[in-house]
Amino acid sequence: MKSSELDYELPRELIAQRPLERRDASRLLVYDRASGVVRHGRVDELPEEVPESALTVVNDTRVLPARLRLERPGGGKAEVLLLERLGANGLWEGLARPTRRLRPGQRLGPVELVEHLGEGRWRLRLEGEPAGEAPLPPYITEPLADSERYQTVYAAEEGSAAAPTAGLHFTPELLSRLDVERVTLHVGLDTFRPVSVEDLAEHELHSERYKVSPEAWERIRAAEWILAVGTTTVRVLETLARGGPLAGRTDLFVTPGFEFRRVDALLTNFHLPRSTLLALVMAFAGVEETRRIYDIAIAEKYRFYSFGDAMLVL
């Protein structure tokens, strides 16, 4: 697949800058693969769209307060975005900028730069626990009044550099109307990194940590019908369906032609052009079908990206 096949034009005003007052009031575009029919509803109508036997699987990772705004030695601003804890002694992997002005051994407040790993990535040491801001994506330019709105209501173990955004639509009331099981995948920025190579097969997707309890996997394996909430949940389920361990790292890269073994339906947001997330949606819904869905969503003025509306592919 050529990366240009992941391109589309989006009017800037359709990029959602803030979440709706009520999470499950977002619009829901429903696409039925069997009939090709597209219909429009709301996220709070989700239980009526799935079979009674459906098991809804969510990613319960929690986003780190990972964006640290710091001072450089001698003056000037710096910013560190924590990506992943590397073990004991406060070691982390993170992004630091302006990278060209930074050197190993430098201290930026509570951060010591240890080793430059390339492409703006650093091994670094952090004093104490992360105490920064929610790492909102750069296309959101408005400040977030309540940082909990960039967390799912079921977020549990901290470890992500970005939210699993499909889950942001759920309320406790909506969850109570569904049969829900949890998995955990800690989202790294590579999930959202644009594809810069011409051939999608040459794009390297860095691995991300995941874990699933034995009890959860037994329920998932035995379920008659699975709704995966978000692309990160899909990657966990399909990794395990291919014999992956219950805890580890996955670099599973889902592109058109992929054989889905444990996902029957997908709830997801509308994704950026040239993203691996859009490639996964195209793998599940079909390339041309996804193009048609996105054209409809744009014409109907759906809200796009992290705080935007949702689509359900049955």
Side-chain angles (χ1 to χ4, degrees), residues 46 56-60 152 154 163-170 183 185 187 191-192 226-238 254 260 262-263 265-271 276-278 280-281 284 310-313:
L46 179 63
T56 299
V57 185
V58 301
N59 178 9
D60 69 358
T152 63
Y154 45 76
T165 56
L168 296 179
H169 298 288
F170 285 82
V183 300
L185 181 140
V187 186
T191 293
F192 300 91
I226 294 285
L227 167 62
V229 176
T231 59
T232 58
T233 299
V234 170
R235 292 178 64 228
V236 175
L237 297 181
E238 294 298 329
V254 179
F260 290 87
R262 189 61 294 213
V263 175
L266 170 64
L267 179 77
T268 188
N269 281 24
F270 294 97
H271 300 295
T276 59
L277 309 180
L278 183 55
L280 185 151
V281 174
F284 193 74
M311 60 182 283
L312 173 65
V313 184

Side-chain angles (χ1 to χ4, degrees), residues 138-150:
Y139 50 76
I140 295 176
T141 57
E142 293 186 12
L144 185 59
D146 177 6
S147 62
E148 283 300 303
R149 291 306 306 271
Y150 196 57

Side-chain angles (χ1 to χ4, degrees), residues 52-57 179 181 183 212-227 237 240-241 246 261-264:
E52 285 189 17
S53 61
L55 181 63
T56 299
V57 185
D179 186 9
E181 191 52 82
V183 300
V212 181
S213 72
E215 297 78 15
W217 180 235
E218 281 306 310
R219 288 197 73 210
I220 291 165
R221 232 178 16 172
E224 182 179 310
W225 199 90
I226 294 285
L227 167 62
L237 297 181
L240 266 62
L246 291 179
R261 299 180 182 176
R262 189 61 294 213
V263 175
D264 298 292

